[in-house]
Amino acid sequence: QVQLAESGGGSVQAGGSLRLSCAGPGFVSGYSCMGWFRQAPGKEREGVAVLDYRRSTIYADSAKGRFTISKDNTNNTLYLQMNSLKPEDTATYYCALYYCAATATLRFSRGVWGQGTQVTVSS
């Protein structure tokens, strides 16, 4: 059974930084994308950044220039470096390992979710 475990969330002031980590098995079970999603209270879950097995990346507009997704293949850990955080970044962040077809996508169709880690940014 594929499992993902996030860590690194916390509370920071606006302008600060956090790095999220997601430990997992890598690209297995036909899943070729690993990504970060977030869900704020009262809102739908949205894609933040994705990296596929070819190391192609896609970022949501809200993340461009501030967040960086990366993967350490030695330990199959996915990271999300978040800089210049804003209060609107406050959400529960989820790591996902999921199916993507020809190219990386922020659209989750089928795969595995982590348990989530809370990020709170105060003004």
Side-chain angles (χ1 to χ4, degrees):
Q1 183 177 359
V2 176
Q3 292 185 327
L4 304 173
E6 301 105 330
S7 60
S11 297
V12 295
Q13 291 189 328
S17 298
L18 284 173
R19 189 177 78 158
L20 306 182
S21 300
C22 174
F27 298 115
V28 298
S29 303
Y31 301 136
S32 54
C33 276
M34 290 191 74
W36 291 96
F37 294 72
R38 69 186 182 186
Q39 188 167 19
K43 295 188 176 181
E44 293 188 354
R45 192 171 298 188
E46 63 177 359
V48 176
V50 60
L51 180 149
D52 73 6
Y53 72 99
R54 295 167 295 186
R55 293 194 171 275
S56 296
T57 58
I58 295 178
Y59 293 90
D61 288 343
S62 59
K64 290 178 182 177
R66 300 188 300 127
F67 295 1
T68 302
I69 190 171
S70 62
K71 183 175 180 290
D72 186 340
N73 289 330
T74 62
N75 58 17
N76 284 324
T77 299
L78 185 74
Y79 299 100
L80 185 68
Q81 177 67 44
M82 304 186 293
N83 299 326
S84 302
L85 283 162
K86 305 175 182 180
E88 50 264 44
D89 294 317
T90 295
T92 301
Y93 284 70
Y94 298 90
C95 172
L97 172 65
Y98 58 103
Y99 170 79
C100 54
T103 59
T105 176
L106 286 172
R107 182 171 298 177
F108 181 96
S109 58
R110 63 177 189 271
V112 180
W113 293 100
Q115 81 283 0
T117 186
Q118 179 66 37
V119 170
T120 302
V121 184
S122 58
S123 58

